[in-house]
Amino acid sequence: MAKSAAHKKRSHQLRNTGKDVTTFRNDVEFSMHVRKTKTKQEKLQQHQNKHKKHFQQGRIPDGNAFYIA
């Protein structure tokens, strides 16, 4: 494969000055966004919304969706 122009410049600088510019690259070692854990109330609300109710509570006694008529 052919060398890119950037690779040619890096190898040229390494040959002439002895500096490897790839060592000067900045590696990000930390996350830029904030992670926070959910509160107990948020967890309970998520659980309640995840398992949605398929019938109205109170209309059917005992909360059973199926009943024999």
Side-chain angles (χ1 to χ4, degrees), residues 50-61:
K50 183 176 180 181
H51 304 288
K52 293 185 178 181
K53 299 174 183 172
H54 297 288
F55 53 92
Q56 295 290 334
Q57 189 175 11
R59 285 178 54 190
I60 302 171

Side-chain angles (χ1 to χ4, degrees), residues 19-49:
K19 291 183 181 179
D20 188 13
V21 293
T22 57
T23 58
F24 298 118
R25 291 182 182 158
N26 292 332
D27 291 332
V28 177
E29 297 178 1
F30 58 92
S31 178
M32 296 298 291
H33 65 278
V34 177
R35 292 184 176 103
K36 72 170 195 165
T37 57
K38 291 187 177 181
T39 61
K40 183 177 181 180
Q41 189 66 31
E42 289 173 339
K43 286 180 185 177
L44 290 173
Q45 189 175 9
Q46 179 188 11
H47 184 74
Q48 189 176 18
N49 291 340

